Amino acid sequence: MSDHKSNSDLPDSYDPELEEGEEHVDDTIIGVAFRRSLIAFAALALIIGGVVWWLQQEEELGEEVELLAEAPQQVEATSLQIPDLPFVDVTAEAGIDFKHENGAQGEKLLPETMGSGAAFFDPDSDGDLDLFLVNGTQWPHTAGRKAASSALYRNDGSGRFENVTSEMGLTTDFYGTGVAIGDVDGDGRPDIFIAAVGSNHLYLNRGASFEDVTSRAGVAGADDMWSTSAAFGDFDRDGDLDLFVCNYVQWSRQIDAEVDYRLTGVGRAYGPPVNYRGTFSYLYRNLGDGTFEDISEAAGLHVRNPATDVPVGKGLGVSPVDIDGDGYLDLLVANDTVQNFLFHNKGDGTFEETGELFGLAYGRAGEATGAMGIDAAHYRNDSDLGFAIGNFANEMTSLYMSQGDATLFVDEAITDGIGAPSRTALSFGVLFFDADLDGRLDLVQTNGHLENEIQSVDPSQSYEQPAQLFWNAGAGARSTFVDVPLEKLGDLDRPLVGRSSAYGDIDGDGDLDLILTQAGREPLLLRNDQATGSHWLRLKLSQPGANSQAIGAWVEARVGDLRLRRQVMPTRGYQSQSDSAITLGLGQATALDGLDILWPDGTRQTVDPGGLGIDQVVEIHKG
């Protein structure tokens, strides 16, 4: 930088000849002082003149008029009576003795903290829901390695379970993560797909046991990939179930060591996947002969960074839903720390990634979020569709809502009452379900941090965090959702290292119970003991052909002024599957006023509600 100063940077009285040492006395200083005095006198004259003018104006205006500024009148909020919604821990009582094995031995390898999924389904067709829990295992390099297995628990109909893993042929010894349930061979029995760190596995339900048919089916994927959530759906509308599988990041023990995520004062730590490269997810087309074909690239699902040509996606959650009502299932993928993908199904075997165009790619401030689990629902009981996505700590849960236009979504988490209460939590599983059977879908989210020592560096965070239940207050309320106080939730308020969640009625009393899983710990099976007196109706749909459970169908029911729209879609939340049956909460109503079924092939069937009754399970066959 030059030391030279231009004359414009110097005071007006500066004389360069003085700096050169010449002592000359002239009239310059006196002239400057005189000019400054004139300016001061002129300014004083203007001030005096202004005061005189103002006084004259007051005399002309006369008496001062007081203007009262009145604030807008605040609209009184309707007094909300949030019901008690006690969930009771029945894990041990029900016979669930499972513990998640994450393989942690102090190396802090990323998969150890990401947890695994759960599924409520009826594999033996006895009418009640059994429970499948996905497990990891110890790492191959672990000294004295002991195998761990996923587990299938059979329900006796009363909510008590028996471990039948071995006899059903489901003993595993791989690092499982997520699960998907669907009848892939059209025999009427639900099959199991398990996503994993490494090769994935498909088990066909043979009735008395399950058979691993992965190799023949061709759905193992690459042995160096890390798969997470998965979903069955008839994406090409040919009548059978195809399979979508989220892949997370390019990971190995060596890559993890090179990334070497650390926290000050802690050292090696679990952290977000910012420094891991992305991946491409899988889309398998069911060929109808027991085999699948990977069509993900040809279908347009390989999204690359245009600058680096590397894969972008870091998928953790997926929601298959027909967004625009064209009859084809689309896929919204929750990506961790990069933009979410909306794979819009074009109906010709290909998809177009339109997440940014539809307003679903980024958070409220235009940023990519640490997206985990995801669910979709018409939670306002109108034609607008909403998506909930659980995000990282200090990122509120996203609540995207269509704006009367199926191609335009806006994050309304703040105005709908989810934003502020969800901000500090690190949220994984999110689920829309009707906790009190009043006909309005509530939202539960499972929380828990990645790092077990996080509180030592961030006192605002904790490793264990309680789940949250947001009660749907309905139309006319100041906000759609209200954060239910912990004292009204029973054992749902227990701090957990929460990861996935799923719902299903385990005891046949009509209301929906919950399973919450933990990373490296026991799950929490929670019986719903709400006592609102609300009525209900559960619908089990079935149809001829390969998609026997009618995955992708829509139920449209009318209950008084309410219009209930529910989708047959077990894939919900984070790496998990909920009951595929539709539970309709009726509140105090004693009958449906109307019922229509929109089947996956586009056929609409009107069902006479008069013969359905209430407080029972009804099977509806396509016809």
Side-chain angles (χ1 to χ4, degrees):
M1 179 182 295
S2 172
D3 291 330
H4 173 73
K5 294 182 179 180
S6 68
N7 287 347
S8 62
D9 296 325
L10 301 174
D12 292 341
S13 59
Y14 174 75
D15 190 332
E17 293 187 308
L18 288 177
E19 185 170 310
E20 293 174 4
E22 294 185 11
E23 297 180 5
H24 66 155
V25 178
D26 54 22
D27 294 335
T28 301
I29 296 175
I30 297 172
V32 169
F34 180 71
R35 287 195 300 273
R36 289 178 176 172
S37 298
L38 288 176
I39 292 171
F41 281 123
L44 181 60
L46 285 172
I47 292 171
I48 294 171
V51 171
V52 171
W53 177 85
W54 178 254
L55 291 174
Q56 289 175 343
Q57 291 296 108
E58 276 203 322
E59 288 179 1
E60 292 177 8
L61 290 172
E63 201 173 302
E64 182 179 349
V65 177
E66 184 179 1
L67 297 177
L68 299 177
E70 185 175 347
Q73 187 173 4
Q74 184 174 356
V75 178
E76 290 293 328
T78 303
S79 179
L80 295 175
Q81 298 296 322
I82 304 174
D84 288 333
L85 296 169
F87 285 82
V88 179
D89 178 6
V90 295
T91 313
E93 174 188 335
I96 306 299
D97 55 359
F98 180 89
K99 181 179 180 181
H100 180 241
E101 173 60 72
N102 62 357
Q105 299 288 332
E107 289 186 275
K108 297 290 183 77
L109 302 177
L110 186 56
E112 296 168 356
T113 195
M114 299 303 289
S116 61
F120 281 121
F121 73 126
D122 186 8
D124 51 6
S125 301
D126 64 353
D128 51 49
L129 291 175
D130 302 330
L131 174 63
F132 185 76
L133 294 166
V134 181
N135 211 348
T137 191
Q138 293 188 351
W139 296 113
H141 61 270
T142 302
R145 181 179 181 277
K146 296 180 180 179
S149 176
S150 298
L152 176 64
Y153 290 89
R154 179 179 292 152
N155 190 343
D156 68 359
S158 69
R160 295 184 180 274
F161 294 83
E162 176 189 4
N163 191 326
V164 294
T165 308
S166 179
E167 68 182 79
M168 294 300 290
L170 288 169
T171 301
T172 63
D173 186 16
F174 54 85
Y175 206 104
T177 54
V179 58
I181 303 295
D183 178 12
V184 301
D185 56 358
D187 64 357
R189 296 186 292 260
D191 308 303
I192 302 174
F193 175 84
I194 305 177
V197 178
S199 298
N200 303 318
H201 292 260
L202 175 63
Y203 295 87
L204 286 188
N205 187 341
R206 299 302 192 190
S209 64
F210 285 82
E211 178 187 358
D212 188 338
V213 297
T214 307
S215 296
R216 179 164 60 87
V219 293
D223 58 11
D224 62 349
M225 292 295 283
W226 175 358
S227 299
T228 53
S229 295
F232 284 112
D234 186 5
F235 299 108
D236 53 6
R237 292 187 69 177
D238 65 352
D240 53 29
L241 291 178
D242 310 303
L243 174 63
F244 179 83
V245 185
C246 290
N247 285 323
Y248 191 32
V249 294
Q250 293 184 20
W251 180 89
S252 69
R253 186 186 179 203
Q254 180 181 352
I255 294 173
D256 204 315
E258 291 171 354
V259 171
D260 197 25
Y261 186 83
R262 292 178 177 268
L263 289 174
T264 303
V266 173
R268 277 280 292 179
Y270 300 115
V274 177
N275 294 318
Y276 294 87
R277 293 182 68 174
T279 60
F280 299 131
S281 293
Y282 302 132
L283 177 61
Y284 295 102
R285 180 170 178 253
N286 190 335
L287 300 180
D289 59 359
T291 65
F292 290 78
E293 176 189 6
D294 183 355
I295 62 168
S296 50
E297 183 172 12
L301 270 59
H302 282 196
V303 181
R304 299 178 182 273
N305 185 316
T308 62
D309 203 40
V310 301
V312 173
K314 299 180 181 181
L316 283 178
V318 59
S319 180
V321 61
D322 178 7
I323 283 184
D324 54 358
D326 64 357
Y328 287 89
L329 283 173
D330 309 299
L331 291 159
L332 183 60
V333 178
N335 282 319
D336 191 0
T337 71
V338 297
Q339 69 198 66
N340 300 320
F341 295 153
L342 173 59
F343 292 116
H344 181 235
N345 194 333
K346 297 167 68 175
D348 59 0
T350 66
F351 293 76
E352 181 182 7
E353 202 290 290
T354 58
E356 187 172 354
L357 181 65
F358 279 50
L360 294 162
Y362 301 105
R364 291 179 61 88
E367 81 289 4
T369 62
M372 310 288 186
I374 181 173
D375 199 8
H378 289 274
Y379 64 82
R380 291 179 181 166
N381 287 333
D382 58 16
S383 60
D384 287 328
L385 180 67
F387 291 98
I389 298 181
N391 292 318
F392 202 75
N394 298 315
E395 297 176 342
M396 67 183 70
T397 295
S398 299
L399 194 62
Y400 300 102
M401 193 70 190
S402 62
Q403 305 297 299
D405 179 344
T407 66
L408 177 62
F409 287 78
V410 172
D411 188 346
E412 298 190 10
I414 293 177
T415 54
D416 267 1
I418 299 290
S422 68
R423 184 181 294 277
T424 58
L426 199 166
S427 305
F428 280 84
V430 290
L431 288 175
F432 288 109
F433 79 123
D434 190 350
D436 56 349
L437 301 175
D438 63 354
R440 302 189 297 266
L441 292 173
D442 311 300
L443 178 68
V444 65
Q445 64 178 39
T446 311
N447 305 322
H449 209 280
L450 298 181
E451 172 53 46
N452 56 326
E453 298 183 65
I454 187 63
Q455 198 161 19
S456 64
V457 295
D458 185 355
S460 70
Q461 288 294 314
S462 59
Y463 186 45
E464 299 175 329
Q465 300 177 8
Q468 291 172 284
L469 179 61
F470 296 96
W471 179 67
N472 191 330
R478 177 170 295 180
S479 62
T480 303
F481 292 103
V482 179
D483 189 9
V484 179
L486 293 180
E487 61 268 18
K488 288 180 172 286
L489 294 178
D491 293 325
L492 188 59
D493 74 344
R494 185 175 304 173
L496 302 173
V497 188
R499 295 297 182 258
S500 69
S501 52
Y503 63 72
D505 181 8
I506 63 172
D507 51 6
D509 65 352
D511 52 32
L512 294 171
D513 311 298
L514 294 172
I515 183 78
L516 310 181
T517 72
Q518 299 191 79
R521 298 185 180 185
E522 299 81 4
L524 194 66
L525 182 62
L526 295 165
R527 187 184 65 218
N528 186 342
D529 278 1
Q530 62 85 26
T532 60
S534 294
H535 297 295
W536 56 276
L537 186 64
R538 182 163 297 118
L539 306 178
K540 288 186 177 181
L541 272 57
S542 64
Q543 64 177 10
N547 182 11
S548 60
Q549 294 177 299
I551 288 176
W554 282 92
V555 169
E556 299 176 0
R558 297 183 297 282
V559 185
D561 294 334
L562 296 180
R563 299 294 183 269
L564 313 184
R565 292 174 172 86
R566 308 287 187 262
Q567 185 186 25
V568 179
M569 182 52 65
T571 300
R572 298 183 181 277
Y574 176 72
Q575 302 188 146
S576 294
Q577 305 278 290
S578 290
D579 182 15
S580 61
I582 299 294
T583 296
L584 298 175
L586 307 182
Q588 301 307 307
T590 56
L592 287 182
D593 296 310
L595 180 65
D596 288 285
I597 311 295
L598 184 64
W599 296 97
D601 66 358
T603 302
R604 179 175 291 272
Q605 179 179 347
T606 298
V607 179
D608 180 8
L612 296 181
I614 59 169
D615 300 336
Q616 62 179 329
V617 179
V618 175
E619 296 186 5
I620 298 179
H621 304 280
K622 183 182 178 183

